[in-house]
């Protein structure tokens, strides 16, 4: 419980104390958007790294050499914990936006930082707005910003190592932008907090990055069902890494 309280105080403290930084970043963005993106990435990475240190989590990273540093990518990951964003974001080599649920847009200060970090808000109940979010993601990718999606559509509260069916829609971002897809398998992240809510405890987490997937190089059938193809790759990594947690 002590770790939970410390993390809560850190999050609240950052959001309040970093208000002047929001103003500074806004001003910088008016003159140099690229510099703003890089600065915001470092600021939030610093906060996330502190929070992960406070949780005591030990992260084993596999396949990080598969992530290209010279081009934007579409990260595709399974989703079991609120901490999935933290453990993946501290490792991104370039500005990266996440697809978040629409409700997050209503959270003061946090939503502002998310916009600074190129996050997009998906309205699952409005097909037209959902399509616009995908198109916005395509533009981000074409402008050099990586995007991370959780194609299960929500946090999976099932057994560790299981996956919900991947939704195919978001994969259109990679198809239209022509960027590589990086499959990401997250193991045991729910054991940081959700598995024993509200207590945060020390635990071992495994992140594995799969080899880049170039959609146009795949057979037609796999291109048609790219979500299912990526799900199979991530499932294989989760099964293999179950021995490491």
């Amino acid at each position: 419980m002590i770790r939970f309280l410390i993390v809560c105080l850190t999050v609240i403290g950052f959001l309040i104390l970093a208000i002047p930084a929001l103003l500074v970043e806004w001003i910088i963005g008016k003159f140099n958007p690229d510099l703003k993106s890089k600065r915001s990435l470092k600021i939030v990475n610093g906060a996330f790294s502190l929070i992960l240190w406070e949780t005591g989590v030990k992260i084993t990273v596999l396949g990080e050499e598969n992530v290209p540093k010279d081009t934007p990518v579409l990260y595709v990951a399974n989703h079991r914990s609120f901490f999935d964003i933290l453990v993946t974001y501290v490792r991104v080599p370039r500005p990266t936006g996440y697809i978040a649920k629409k409700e997050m847009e209503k959270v003061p200060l946090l939503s502002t930082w998310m916009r600074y970090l190129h996050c997009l808000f998906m309205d699952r109940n409005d097909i037209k707005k959902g399509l616009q979010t995908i198109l916005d993601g395509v533009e981000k990718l074409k402008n050099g910003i990586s995007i991370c999606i959780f194609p299960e559509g929500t946090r999976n509260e099932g057994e560790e190592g299981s996956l919900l069916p991947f939704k195919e829609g978001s994969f259109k971002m990679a198809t239209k932008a022509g960027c590589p897809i990086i499959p990401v398998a997250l193991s045991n992240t729910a054991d940081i907090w959700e598995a024993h809510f509200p207590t945060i405890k020390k635990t071992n987490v495994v992140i594995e990055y799969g080899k880049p997937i170039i959609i146009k190089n795949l057979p037609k059938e796999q291109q048609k069902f790219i979500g299912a193809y990526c799900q199979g790759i991530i499932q294989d990594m989760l099964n293999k890494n179950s021995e490491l947690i």
Side-chain angles (χ1 to χ4, degrees), residues 109-121:
L109 300 179
L110 176 61
S111 59
T112 304
W113 276 111
M114 292 176 72
R115 291 189 190 93
Y116 281 14
L117 298 171
H118 304 284
C119 293
L120 299 171
F121 301 94

Side-chain angles (χ1 to χ4, degrees), residues 44-105:
V44 174
N45 267 349
F48 281 179
S49 296
L50 173 60
I51 291 171
L52 290 174
W53 177 78
E54 291 171 346
T55 66
V57 64
K58 178 184 177 182
I59 303 176
T60 299
V61 183
L62 305 173
E64 197 164 26
E65 68 278 3
N66 291 323
V67 181
K69 296 179 174 59
D70 58 349
T71 187
V73 302
L74 180 70
Y75 295 99
V76 175
N78 60 307
H79 191 25
R80 295 187 55 82
S81 171
F82 289 111
F83 281 91
D84 292 341
I85 296 171
L86 279 72
V87 299
T88 53
Y89 199 81
V90 296
R91 311 206 69 84
V92 297
R94 60 189 301 119
T96 301
Y98 283 62
I99 303 296
K101 58 184 180 180
K102 183 70 174 178
E103 291 77 7
M104 295 298 294
E105 197 171 17

Side-chain angles (χ1 to χ4, degrees), residues 146-162:
S146 292
I147 295 291
C148 179
I149 62 171
F150 299 109
E152 291 170 286
T154 187
R155 283 188 301 115
N156 177 9
E157 298 180 3
E159 294 183 2
E160 177 64 38
S162 67

Side-chain angles (χ1 to χ4, degrees), residues 9 15 36 47 60 97-98 132 139 176 181 203 212 228:
L9 289 173
L15 291 175
K36 173 191 172 183
T60 299
Y98 283 62
Q132 184 58 53
E139 287 304 308
K176 293 181 179 297
I181 294 174
T203 191

